[in-house]
Amino acid sequence: MTMRPLIVTMGDPAGVGPEIIAKAWPILAQSPGPLAPVVPFAVVGDADVMAAQGAPVQPILSPLEAAGVFARAIPVLHQPAPAAVVAGQPDPRNAPAVADWIERAVDLTLSGEACGIVTAPIAKAPMYASGFRFPGHTEFIAELTADAPFSGTRGPVMMLTAKDLRACLVTIHVPIDQLPELVTADRIMRVARVVHESMKRDFGIAAPRLALAALNPHAGEGGAIGLQEIEVLRPAAAALRAEGLNITDPLPADTLFHDEARARYDATVCLYHDQALIPVKTLDFWGGVNATLGLPIVRTSPDHGTGFDIAGKGIARADSFIAAVRLASEMAAARATR
């Protein structure tokens, strides 16, 4: 099956994005090869910044050219950064270009010229300084795709994955003391529906098995250590099962992520950031991937930030970016067969 290319956005050009793309390319361009993706990718960003990483670069005018170029050079849809790029020194003057690269990637995917996007990291401070009004990538891409046709429960839902663990978040960057009021039945049920549908659509799992993580230690121990499991989580799980979802009652998080436990479910619905991120990073600290579920397009990202402190030093690892490209390829292929 011939697949359209993925689009990779450069992220903040002063961060490690260009470096990890350049390091990943010769590995992913191997054909055949154990790490080769299902499809090639084209980069949206500054071709000169990419060329400065030392890998061969070929400017292209259309994603359709990517397949013919990918084996010998990194295809780049050139959109220059307006200000000089200095590794490790983010410049708010380049932030509008960073947003434009993301928007172009989304447009190319929605138009059918690409099969999905992989986003290299951006930094909030320079983006906010330029007037960017979104909390991050996920919310921006959700806004850009809001009017596109989509069959199913719409996200966005953040999923972190490493090895055989898919951990999906009900809340993300919120203080712990706000969790009792934010972890509502409505939020849990919406996230579970998105995850259930995504397991079918994006992962080819015909009958997904979901595990629901408890909020309190020992799943509240019958109400002795909190009532959320009794008053919120169990009723939400029961209502979801009545809809036909295969989801557990809330399970203690301290016994939910070991090898034998992971074999019993396809994805877990986690209630807060560290509940999902700690097991993911413990399983594979360098290779974890962030995927956005419940969108009209496939989107993945490496599970790390811009790394301004190490940018330009040649020591950034590309493991997570490689895994993000592979996952996006697999998700796009699953969608293409539906």
Side-chain angles (χ1 to χ4, degrees):
M1 178 176 59
T2 301
M3 292 285 293
R4 296 155 293 161
L6 291 166
I7 301 295
V8 170
T9 57
M10 185 180 286
D12 193 303
V16 297
E19 180 181 339
I20 61 176
I21 295 169
K23 285 183 173 179
W25 168 75
I27 298 170
L28 294 172
Q30 295 174 7
S31 182
L35 295 178
V38 176
V39 293
F41 63 75
V43 177
V44 173
D46 192 311
D48 294 332
V49 174
M50 283 306 312
Q53 309 307 311
V57 166
Q58 176 64 55
I60 59 175
L61 298 177
S62 165
L64 298 177
E65 301 174 52
V69 170
F70 193 68
R72 66 177 187 274
I74 301 173
V76 180
L77 294 156
H78 179 53
Q79 287 186 222
V85 175
V86 179
Q89 299 180 30
D91 191 328
R93 291 176 296 175
N94 286 329
V98 173
D100 287 345
W101 297 338
I102 299 167
E103 188 165 357
R104 186 178 183 190
V106 170
D107 288 344
L108 290 169
T109 307
L110 289 175
S111 71
E113 296 176 74
C115 67
I117 65 175
V118 180
T119 57
I122 61 174
K124 292 182 174 62
M127 297 296 287
Y128 292 161
S130 74
F132 188 74
R133 61 182 179 85
F134 298 91
H137 257 131
T138 300
E139 296 82 3
F140 184 38
I141 294 171
E143 174 77 9
L144 293 173
T145 58
D147 295 330
F150 182 67
S151 176
T153 307
R154 194 176 281 266
V157 167
M158 182 182 290
M159 180 185 79
L160 290 307
T161 181
K163 297 186 178 179
D164 61 347
L165 173 60
R166 303 181 186 100
C168 309
L169 287 166
V170 173
T171 68
I172 305 176
H173 299 121
V174 299
I176 290 290
D177 62 4
Q178 294 181 15
L179 289 177
E181 64 186 66
L182 294 176
V183 176
T184 64
D186 285 346
R187 282 196 173 96
I188 292 167
M189 292 176 70
R190 183 187 68 84
V191 168
R193 293 184 191 111
V194 170
V195 175
H196 172 81
E197 294 165 13
S198 179
M199 291 302 106
K200 292 183 175 183
R201 178 180 55 247
D202 300 323
F203 295 90
I205 300 171
R209 303 163 301 162
L210 306 186
L212 175 61
L215 179 63
N216 294 300
H218 306 293
E221 211 165 272
I225 317 177
L227 298 174
Q228 284 82 11
E229 284 72 20
I230 295 172
E231 296 178 349
V232 179
L233 276 67
R234 284 180 181 271
L240 288 165
R241 287 192 292 269
E243 295 179 6
L245 275 68
N246 180 355
I247 187 168
T248 67
D249 280 332
L251 300 173
D254 63 346
T255 57
L256 190 53
F257 300 107
H258 63 86
D259 292 349
E260 291 180 11
R262 296 198 310 276
R264 296 194 289 266
Y265 58 81
D266 301 300
T268 180
V269 177
C270 295
L271 303 181
Y272 57 96
H273 183 276
D274 285 10
Q275 192 176 65
L277 270 290
I278 289 173
V280 165
K281 290 182 181 291
T282 300
L283 276 177
D284 190 353
F285 182 80
W286 298 108
V289 177
N290 176 356
T292 307
L293 309 183
L295 294 182
I297 64 171
V298 168
R299 180 261 173 152
T300 68
S301 177
D303 183 27
H304 60 70
T306 49
F308 291 130
D309 58 325
I310 62 170
K313 298 180 180 179
I315 60 175
R317 293 182 55 152
D319 309 49
S320 186
F321 178 79
I322 291 169
V325 172
R326 286 176 51 79
L327 180 60
S329 297
E330 293 163 5
M331 292 172 68
R335 288 196 179 196
T337 62
R338 288 180 61 84

